[in-house]
Amino acid sequence: MIERSGGHSSGQSGEHSGGHSGEHSGGHSGSPGGEWSWDDAEGVLALAAEVLRAPRVTILPKLSEVLAGLVPHIAVAQLSGVCTYSPASAVGPEDLSAGITGTELARLAQEVTPGRPWQGEAVLGGRPRPAVAVASAPAGSNGALLVLVRAAATGPAVPTGRANGRPSGRAPEPPESPAALPERSLGLLQQLWELLTTHSHHRAVDAAPAQAAASRASASARARAIAELSGAHASALSAILGPLRSAGLDDATARRNATELAVTALLDLRSAGDLDRELSEEPAATAFARLADVVRPLLRHSPVRLDLLAPTEGDRSVPTDTAHTARTTVRSTVLAMLEQDGLTRLHVSWQFVADGLRAVVRDDGPGLLTADALAVHRTADRIAALAGRLTVEAVPGWGTTVTVDLPLHAPAGPIGAARPLEGLQPRELEVLDELARGRRNREIAAALHISESTVKFHVANILAKLEVGSRGEAAALAHRAGLPTTPAPGTPTALHAAS
């Protein structure tokens, strides 16, 4: 296991022993037969099996322990598309592992090609550090990244100055990057990571129903929280920019208004955690009043007129998650509509229909708004999380109406079972439509006027969102959902298995 304090000497390099447990050239404490080296194929397999047998929560520390003799390191982190509970995690000294963020790992993941080990300097824990990274992409998964943070080598001591005619002391030169790892070590590291992530992916796919349901619920809650915080940030920034852009305010007044809005937004964001402590339901009138408090600042310095129509059954209770999703969706829609030219009026209303809540946002703009304009705010994702429905009706010259229908009760079956394609973005639906016709990536790229690499990116996202392992399964699911929308001349009847 990683030692969380004093685990490594400051001048660690690959040549000396000590520091990290197992970080010696002679072998590994858990290796069979005592003396052992990484040239021993049987020993390597035994260590791989040791990691695979470890409980899920201890796999990363165990992997760090096993790899210590191959790649000396001070901390290890992973970004996994398999684990929905904690995609980003790290182990090592507390001051380092606690500072490594998912954003840092995601940025590094863009530089690492699956199957090709990477070594260099990356920002981890808030500053550049030497690191080694490997990535894998098991079929049907979002891929996984492993990062080993290496200790910088320390140069020889140099005089720091003189006192009373004598040297006052010596200090080490600035840290240097550790020596590059040999290709053999990188290859072994890559293969071990491929084995581990493939095993983890199969274990996740074959998980028991209860475990799979809990995993999906966890991922859905995290995605919804991220979407809500992103929407709050977007609203705050738009509100702050309003007075700064206004031609009707002098500089002092604009700055004062912007400052007030910034303070209010900061207080709102700090209180976001209170959502967990709220009651499970709230009166519709209260929920709509909160929506009004969110929307009005967006138009405070705008010539656009805002009409708000509260639900007539104000005392009727609305589930907290439904009310919260309705508010964030309306806010995102208003932001998208305000980006249009020629807008003079916005109408926002809530009403109860059958066993659901309907939120309507209507404008008198050019009538050219599409669902793609709402994708940046992840509107479809947060609606799909509640098995809701989004409808966009745009009439050129007359305006756009966005309607959101959200159920007041949880669906009887798994979310998305009735409408499995609800979570896909408009462009992903277009790609799936072409895929359902049996077309290859090159043909899809030509039909949609996008690059083939972009098609591969969309196909990977589609497989992940539909939770299927192949293009054929995705096409079958698309056919059951009514795709392709129209028959294409010359479309082959058999499905291609192109990658």
Side-chain angles (χ1 to χ4, degrees):
M1 303 291 285
I2 286 185
E3 297 178 24
R4 294 194 174 270
S5 61
H8 295 269
S9 60
S10 61
Q12 176 189 351
S13 66
E15 283 77 22
H16 72 278
S17 62
H20 196 292
S21 61
E23 192 171 317
H24 52 275
S25 59
H28 186 278
S29 59
S31 61
E35 290 298 323
W36 176 86
S37 78
W38 283 91
D39 292 326
D40 179 6
E42 183 179 351
V44 173
L45 290 175
L47 288 183
E50 184 180 338
V51 175
L52 294 177
R53 286 194 297 265
R56 184 185 298 270
V57 295
T58 65
I59 284 181
L60 196 58
K62 173 59 69 175
L63 182 63
S64 175
E65 177 186 341
V66 165
L67 292 176
L70 180 68
V71 182
H73 58 277
I74 56 176
V76 61
Q78 71 167 353
L79 183 65
S80 172
V82 175
C83 179
T84 56
Y85 289 105
S86 55
S89 57
V91 293
E94 183 67 24
D95 58 341
L96 174 55
S97 60
I100 298 177
T101 67
T103 301
E104 292 174 338
L105 295 176
R107 288 173 181 166
L108 179 55
Q110 296 176 356
E111 306 294 328
V112 184
T113 302
R116 299 181 60 182
W118 176 96
Q119 55 182 328
E121 197 171 69
V123 175
L124 297 166
R127 67 177 179 84
R129 303 175 190 272
V132 175
V134 289
S136 66
S141 76
N142 291 330
L145 176 76
L146 176 71
V147 181
L148 288 87
V149 184
R150 304 182 68 191
T154 303
V158 296
T160 59
R162 301 183 66 85
N164 298 324
R166 297 181 179 179
S168 60
R170 301 177 70 84
E173 290 183 347
E176 300 176 355
S177 297
L181 292 173
E183 291 296 327
R184 174 172 173 75
S185 296
L186 294 175
L188 284 170
L189 176 63
Q190 179 70 53
Q191 293 305 315
L192 282 173
W193 185 238
E194 295 276 1
L195 179 63
L196 178 59
T197 53
T198 300
H199 173 76
S200 298
H201 175 61
H202 286 314
R203 187 159 62 176
V205 170
D206 299 332
Q211 180 181 353
S215 181
R216 278 192 218 101
S218 174
S220 176
R222 186 180 63 255
R224 186 161 60 245
I226 292 174
E228 290 166 357
L229 288 175
S230 299
H233 280 292
S235 295
L237 292 175
S238 297
I240 292 170
L241 288 175
L244 296 177
R245 288 174 172 174
S246 177
L249 299 176
D250 58 70
D251 289 348
T253 303
R255 285 196 300 270
R256 183 172 62 255
N257 289 337
T259 300
E260 292 175 355
L261 289 170
V263 171
T264 300
L266 183 60
L267 293 175
D268 289 343
L269 291 175
R270 286 178 176 176
S271 63
D274 293 341
L275 178 62
D276 292 335
R277 294 187 293 273
E278 291 179 358
L279 296 176
S280 60
E281 295 184 346
E282 59 182 312
T286 302
F288 191 81
R290 294 177 62 186
L291 168 65
D293 292 338
V294 169
V295 174
R296 284 196 181 101
L298 302 180
L299 290 86
R300 182 176 299 172
H301 302 286
S302 170
V304 178
R305 174 180 172 182
L306 175 64
D307 297 328
L308 297 172
L309 180 61
T312 55
E313 302 175 66
D315 294 334
R316 186 170 177 178
S317 295
V318 179
T320 299
D321 54 355
T322 300
H324 203 74
T325 299
R327 281 194 297 268
T328 54
T329 301
V330 168
R331 178 181 58 195
S332 300
T333 303
V334 169
L335 285 172
M337 288 181 168
L338 289 176
E339 295 294 325
Q340 304 175 103
D341 295 327
L343 194 68
T344 63
R345 190 169 184 174
L346 276 175
H347 174 85
V348 177
S349 65
W350 279 11
Q351 58 180 312
F352 290 101
V353 291
D355 197 26
L357 176 68
R358 172 170 293 173
V360 178
V361 186
R362 186 169 61 249
D363 69 23
D364 63 350
L368 303 176
L369 196 70
T370 65
D372 284 334
L374 305 178
V376 67
H377 301 288
R378 302 187 66 180
T379 302
D381 289 346
R382 57 172 73 110
I383 294 174
L386 295 183
R389 183 174 67 254
L390 171 69
T391 305
V392 180
E393 299 180 29
V395 181
W398 290 90
T400 303
T401 300
V402 175
T403 304
V404 180
D405 288 297
L406 298 170
L408 295 178
H409 303 286
I415 291 177
R419 295 186 296 276
L421 308 185
E422 283 285 325
L424 299 183
Q425 299 294 337
R427 177 61 82 181
E428 292 169 346
L429 286 172
E430 292 175 351
V431 172
L432 181 59
D433 187 273
E434 297 295 329
L435 192 152
R437 302 177 193 275
R439 289 177 173 166
R440 299 178 181 271
N441 287 349
R442 185 175 302 175
E443 297 169 328
I444 296 175
L448 300 181
H449 306 289
I450 57 180
S451 69
E452 192 170 349
S453 61
T454 301
V455 173
K456 292 181 180 179
F457 173 78
H458 285 310
V459 170
N461 284 342
I462 290 170
L463 297 182
K465 289 184 178 181
L466 297 184
E467 298 182 355
V468 297
S470 69
R471 295 164 63 97
E473 292 180 59
L477 191 59
H479 283 293
R480 290 197 295 270
L483 294 181
T485 52
T486 57
T491 299
T493 55
L495 294 176
H496 295 291
S499 58

